[in-house]
């Protein structure tokens, strides 16, 4: 090692022996077990606890000298891994960070050092030398954050003037013959077998040219007859070629205290025993000679050192953040992510999960559709889900709306928006869910009864505008058609992707609204090309002129996202008249029960596919014909609409153009909304449906159509309605 | 040998290179199953594991058989330390998120006591070691996959503080040669999965191609009438990619009953 060079090059005359300190090494299992002990056993008990670590003398070069604590550390009398040397320790676990900080580290060290010193003086350490490698562990476990603060101390008693090296360390093979090395290995194994262990932490040694004799420390007096020169062996965890590890330090103090005056020269064998590539070797053990300094004859405990430095090299504690692997909420999060990543790793390598997980979804409606959409979003790892609903949970709801239970219906019923949030959080604490118990103002539902109702409507509009601004995707999942109008207008104006799902008895439609081009691009488009959008849609509303256009099939294929229609584009009647124009969603409560699950799931899956498309909501709509073609995304098609017929167990993928007289997304409506804001909206709320029909020119269209029906052949009447005309199946 | 070259298998080309260099020794594997075909059933797997364990004990290679509590299922387990060079980049990347506050947090714990209370300058008897590398603890498990009829290598890695490494960090410690070859796989062969027996998140090498390439190796060996330990042979091919080396001594019979 590089750090040896300074010593190797200087003269040996006044060389002092230097030791490699322990580095603490903790397995994750240790922290798990400490957490368990703290929660179920120690609780607020701060008294010291016996624990156990171990060290190993068989590491390959370049590994630091470690003291390892694992899961089993709390079983102080339990087994130690084979050929590892146990070290007893004392755990001081504090209840607070302040107590951890305030602990008198110096006093703690001195207390433990005194125990070692007492064992040395009394000779108890001869019989039980493991006390020489005793350690202290000071901890504080912050189990709210799963942060663990810790500080190790490996107490070592010091000789005031250090230890003089007589003969510097060399590899054993430079001193011992092959015969001696083999004899040593055999003698060591014999000693272990005799002790019925796999290690001997300390031993004493005599050797000749072809024999090696080992014994335990406690047999010193009978083993050594001549103490001019003695050889001691230490199980040495260090891998440095010039330095012994820490366990030797206190042994030398023991020798000095017990026999110091009698010993001229001490030879030390740092026993290292490793198996590399299947072959065992002790050749690299170190051997050197030292002169032990005299310890003063009084019994005062020598100075001690041993607190471990932190990774910065400073005297200070360490901290490890284990929230990722211990916090149940984080574990749930990572498991959910892992599950999705598996989908990517195994099946869809190009899947961009980040786009999905980071999408903020606004769910307007927390009923049958809302509940199913939310669950499917959770399955995809979507974290940000917001509900808007003004209903309370009724007794009929829980069987069809999977976020609610019977209990939620009691006492008049909980608010759906908040109950849904509570349930999502219970299902997955990592979700960022919010609920708004509010109404969405609707066309033809006047808000001008009083100043109070008017300002409430204004507040609701503002709230909805803010919510739509703050989210990436808006789901329209309400059970009335009229309530979809306002969010359709706002989202179209704000260029937000809208996913719409509506149910009939056994039919459903799931669609994405066309995503209008960004404001900046609209102006330039209108400048350089004549309004293609309106020409396409006007052609569909005035089919008489279709002869001048390309055939219908090519007209309706490859419709780019910005030309796609919205939910209202297919209608020739403005929303607001719920008696005459019953639509799919108003029959929602009599849907076949599986329909909401199918449609809700499809709405989310369609959104996911759109997110995977490089152009997102501007992606060209796939049609049923594209089922045979190369799909545009890693997940497949990105249709405009999915219309399902449960009676036939069939889905079709129509695409339709935006209608230039649409009551929700036509330029004139958006223009009025953007210029007049709530004044325009309140007119819509307070007026009958004819207001929007007049504004968009639908009234005129009706009149023309009626005139045409009178004057033209009956075949034309079918194609007159934009509803059918601009929809392909 | 020619057979192996002609086979187009870019995914395992590095492994095959290694195979060529080791082929002679590997073919001498002597402890060994009598499988006629190349499919490994669970009983074979267990037998291979027992033989591997015996040899590991002799070689002190550290493998053990772990039984899952309350079942007869089990797996081979070994832990190993790896010293990884390039401390600056690796330590930085090994603490991606929490690095900002952590060191300050920990050191600010002892604002006053840091110097005064613990002015513990040793008597010069303590060497200052330079942290020129990062040490990681790896834990390897070998399980049997009945869906693939192959062994699967699971592993996880920790810092010396006990913190688990992320997949990105584990990737960064894969040897560059192997990284290239693993990345070229359509399945991103190194990935994360719940341990089937422990239910904890582990990394693993995807087994989907294992049978395919083991077939080649085993067929070649069978042609020469060499008995092979499927698990050992497989491990010696896939282990090195994630730092798990299999000593060649496994393939040298300890007794002088070598058929050579
Ligand atoms: Zn529209």
């Amino acid at each position: 090692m590089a750090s040896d060079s300074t010593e190797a090059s200087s003269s040996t005359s006044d060389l002092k022996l230097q030791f490699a300190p322990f580095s603490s090494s903790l397995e994750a299992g240790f922290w798990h077990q400490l957490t368990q002990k703290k929660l179920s056993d120690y609780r607020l008990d701060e008294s010291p606890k016996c624990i156990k670590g171990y060290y190993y003398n068989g590491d390959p070069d370049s590994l630091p000298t470690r003291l390892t604590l694992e899961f089993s550390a709390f079983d102080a009398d339990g087994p130690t891994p084979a050929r590892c040397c146990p070290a007893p320790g004392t755990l001081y676990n504090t209840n607070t960070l302040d107590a951890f900080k305030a602990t008198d580290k110096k006093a703690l060290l001195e207390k433990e050092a005194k125990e070692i010193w007492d064992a040395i003086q009394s000779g108890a350490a001869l019989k039980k030398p493991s006390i020489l490698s005793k350690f202290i562990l000071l901890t504080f476990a912050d189990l709210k954050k799963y942060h663990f603060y810790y500080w190790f101390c490996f107490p070592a008693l010091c000789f005031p003037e250090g230890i003089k090296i007589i003969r510097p360390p060399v590899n054993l093979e430079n001193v011992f013959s092959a015969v001696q090395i083999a004899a040593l290995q055999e003698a060591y194994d014999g000693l272990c077998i005799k002790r019925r262990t796999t290690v001997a932490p300390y031993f004493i040694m005599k050797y000749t040219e072809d024999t090696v004799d080992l014994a335990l420390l406690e047999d010193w007096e009978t083993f050594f007859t001549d103490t001019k020169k003695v050889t001691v062996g230490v199980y040495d965890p260090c891998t440095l070629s010039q330095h012994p590890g820490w366990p030797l330090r206190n042994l030398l103090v023991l020798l000095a205290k017990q026999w110091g005056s009698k010993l001229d020269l001490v030879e030390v064998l740092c026993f290292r025993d490793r198996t590399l590539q299947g072959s065992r070797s002790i050749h690299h053990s170190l051997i050197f000679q030292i002169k032990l300094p005299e310890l003063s004859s009084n019994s005062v405990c020598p100075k001690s050192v041993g607190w471990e430095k932190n990774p910065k090299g400073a005297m200070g504690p360490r901290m490890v953040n284990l929230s990722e692997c211990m916090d149940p909420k984080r574990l749930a999060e990572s498991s959910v992510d892992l599950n999705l990543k598996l989908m990517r790793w195994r099946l869809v390598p190009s899947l961009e999960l980040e786009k999905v997980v980071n999408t903020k979804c606004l769910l307007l409606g927390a009923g049958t559709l809302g509940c199913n959409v939310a669950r499917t979003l959770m399955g995809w790892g979507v974290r940000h889900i917001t509900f808007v609903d003004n209903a309370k949970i009724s007794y009929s709801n829980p069987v069809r709306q999977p976020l609610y239970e019977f209990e939620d219906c009691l006492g008049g019923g909980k608010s759906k928006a908040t109950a849904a949030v509570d349930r999502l959080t219970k299902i997955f604490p990592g979700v960022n869910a919010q609920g708004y118990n509010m109404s969405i103002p609707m066309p033809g539902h006047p808000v001008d009864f009083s100043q109070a109702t008017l300002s409430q409507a204004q507040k609701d509009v503002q709230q909805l505008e803010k919510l739509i601004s703050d989210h990436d995707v808006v789901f329209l999942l309400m059970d009335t058609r009229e309530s979809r109008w306002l969010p359709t207008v706002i989202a179209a104006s704000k260029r937000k992707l809208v996913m719409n799902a509506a149910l009939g008895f056994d039919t459903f439609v799931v669609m994405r609204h066309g995503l209008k081009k960004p404001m900046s691009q609209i102006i330039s488009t209108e400048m350089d090309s004549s309004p293609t959008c309106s020409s396409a849609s006007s052609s569909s509303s005035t089919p008489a002129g279709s002869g001048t256009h390309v055939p219908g099939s090519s007209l309706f294929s490859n419709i780019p996202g910005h030309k796609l229609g919205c939910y209202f584009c297919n209608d020739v009647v403005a929303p607001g008249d719920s008696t005459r124009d019953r639509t799919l969603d108003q029959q929602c409560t009599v849907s076949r029960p599986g329909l909401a699950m199918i449609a809700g799931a499809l709405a989310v899956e369609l959104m996911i596919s759109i997110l995977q498309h490089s152009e997102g909501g501007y992606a060209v709509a796939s049609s049923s014909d594209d089922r045979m073609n190369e799909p545009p995304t890693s997940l497949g098609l990105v249709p405009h609409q999915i219309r399902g017929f449960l009676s036939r167990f069939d889905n079709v993928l129509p695409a339709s153009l935006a209608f230039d007289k649409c009551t929700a997304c036509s330029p004139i409506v958006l223009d009025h909304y953007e210029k007049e804001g709530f004044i325009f909206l309140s007119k819509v709320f307070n007026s009958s449906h004819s207001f929007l029909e007049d504004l968009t020119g639908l009234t005129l269209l009706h009149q023309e159509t009626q005139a045409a029906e009178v004057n033209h052949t009956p075949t034309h009447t079918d194609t007159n309605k934009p509803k059918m005309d601009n929809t392909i199946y | 040998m020619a057979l192996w070259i002609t086979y187009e298998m870019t995914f395992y080309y590095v492994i095959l290179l290694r195979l060529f260099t080791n082929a002679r020794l590997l073919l001498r594997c002597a402890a060994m199953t009598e499988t006629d075909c190349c499919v490994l059933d669970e009983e074979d797997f267990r037998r291979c594991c027992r033989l591997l364990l015996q040899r590991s004990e002799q070689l002190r290679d550290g493998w053990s058989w772990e039984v899952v509590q309350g079942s007869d299922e089990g797996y081979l387990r070994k832990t190993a330390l790896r010293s990884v060079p390039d401390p600056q980049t690796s330590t930085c990347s090994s603490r991606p998120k929490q690095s900002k506050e952590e060191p300050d947090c920990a050191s600010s714990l002892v604002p006053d006591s840091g110097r005064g209370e613990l002015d513990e300058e040793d008597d010069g008897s303590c060497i200052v070691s330079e942290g020129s590398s990062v040490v990681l603890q790896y834990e390897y498990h070998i399980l049997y996959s009945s869906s693939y009829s192959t062994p699967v290598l699971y592993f996880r890695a920790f810092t010396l503080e006990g913190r688990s490494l992320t997949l990105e960090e584990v990737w960064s410690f894969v040897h560059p040669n192997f990284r290239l070859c693993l990345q070229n796989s359509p399945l991103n062969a190194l990935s994360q999965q719940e341990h089937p027996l422990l239910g904890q998140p582990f990394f693993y090498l995807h087994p989907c191609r294992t049978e395919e390439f083991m077939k080649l190796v085993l067929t070649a060996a069978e042609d020469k009438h060499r008995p092979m330990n499927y698990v050992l042979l497989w491990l010696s091919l896939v282990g090195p990619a994630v730092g798990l080396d299999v000593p060649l001594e496994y393939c040298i019979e300890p007794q002088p009953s070598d058929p050579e």
Side-chain angles (χ1 to χ4, degrees), chain A residues 632-700:
Chain A
T633 77
S634 56
L635 291 177
L637 303 183
V638 283
H640 176 216
Q641 304 173 26
I642 305 159
R643 288 185 180 256
F645 306 90
L646 201 53
S647 56
R648 309 201 303 257
F649 294 101
D650 189 23
N651 293 343
V652 294
L653 307 179
S656 61
L657 286 162
F659 179 34
D660 65 349
K661 297 181 174 55
C662 174
T663 54
C665 75
S666 59
I668 192 161
V669 172
L670 295 183
D671 204 44
H672 276 78
Y673 163 66
E674 281 155 18
K675 285 196 177 120
E676 296 172 25
F678 185 71
I679 294 172
F680 166 70
L681 295 178
S682 61
K683 278 187 218 162
V684 176
F685 303 148
N686 296 330
S687 313
S688 73
H689 60 97
S690 64
F691 173 79
L692 277 174
E693 290 173 14
D694 291 348
L695 181 73
T696 56
L698 271 179
T699 312
L700 195 63

Side-chain angles (χ1 to χ4, degrees), chain A residues 19 26 31 105 277 346, chain B residues 117 124-125 160-161 193 249:
Chain A
F19 304 84
L26 294 151
W31 295 121
K105 283 91 184 172
Q277 297 292 313
R346 290 192 167 167
Chain B
E117 182 187 359
S125 299
L160 287 187
E161 297 169 321
Q193 191 179 49
E249 284 71 13

Side-chain angles (χ1 to χ4, degrees), chain B residues 34-104:
Chain B
E34 307 278 15
T35 42
D36 284 333
C37 66
C38 304
V39 175
L40 184 76
D41 67 25
E42 188 155 10
E43 209 175 302
D44 291 332
F45 172 74
R46 295 269 177 128
R47 189 165 60 239
C48 288
C49 288
R50 276 197 298 275
L51 290 163
L52 193 152
L53 276 170
Q54 278 174 17
R55 198 74 182 105
S56 166
E57 183 57 32
Q58 290 160 347
L59 299 172
R60 294 185 167 195
D61 197 38
W63 287 100
S64 61
W65 180 261
E66 304 290 327
V67 179
V68 179
Q69 265 192 345
S71 81
D72 60 348
E73 294 191 282
Y75 54 91
L76 280 179
R77 177 181 185 269
K78 177 183 172 168
T79 60
L81 285 149
R82 283 178 72 193
S83 180
V84 190
D86 199 4
Q88 206 51 50
T89 51
S90 48
T91 35
C92 285
S93 69
S94 75
R95 305 155 189 228
K97 284 150 237 160
Q98 59 259 46
S99 63
K100 284 247 158 70
E101 51 178 314
E102 253 181 56
D104 301 7

Side-chain angles (χ1 to χ4, degrees), chain A residues 18-19 26-28 31 66 83 101 105 149 151 159 240 249 275 277 303 306-307 321 324 346, chain B residues 59-60 81 97 102 109 117-118 120-125 127 137 158 160-162 193 204 249:
Chain A
Q18 286 186 306
F19 304 84
L26 294 151
E27 293 192 357
W31 295 121
R66 285 159 296 105
R83 291 182 285 277
K101 288 186 208 173
K105 283 91 184 172
Y149 300 83
W151 202 349
F159 292 105
L240 301 177
R249 285 196 76 161
T275 304
Q277 297 292 313
K303 178 183 172 246
W307 285 100
N321 178 352
E324 305 242 3
R346 290 192 167 167
Chain B
L59 299 172
R60 294 185 167 195
L81 285 149
K97 284 150 237 160
E102 253 181 56
L109 274 178
E117 182 187 359
L118 278 180
E120 165 181 293
E121 276 311 306
D122 202 345
D123 48 352
S125 299
I127 65 152
Q137 315 177 70
F158 306 97
L160 287 187
E161 297 169 321
Q193 191 179 49
Y204 81 125
E249 284 71 13

Side-chain angles (χ1 to χ4, degrees), chain A residues 424-485:
Chain A
L424 286 200
T425 313
K426 274 190 185 169
I427 291 166
F428 179 57
V431 75
N432 174 12
Q434 289 180 47
Y436 292 83
N437 182 14
M438 59 177 271
S439 330
I440 296 173
M442 296 178 273
H445 292 246
V447 295
D448 57 352
F449 301 112
S450 69
Q451 188 56 43
T453 54
L454 194 65
S455 65
Q456 181 61 47
Q458 188 161 13
K459 265 190 227 157
D460 290 342
V461 168
Q462 279 172 357
Q463 180 69 68
L464 188 64
E465 284 172 330
K466 181 170 190 313
L467 284 172
I468 289 174
S469 289
D470 291 346
H471 289 77
D472 304 308
V473 180
V474 182
F475 282 85
L476 304 188
L477 310 166
M478 306 83 136
D479 53 7
T480 70
R481 178 163 160 273
E482 305 97 280
S483 60
R484 295 168 198 251
W485 180 82

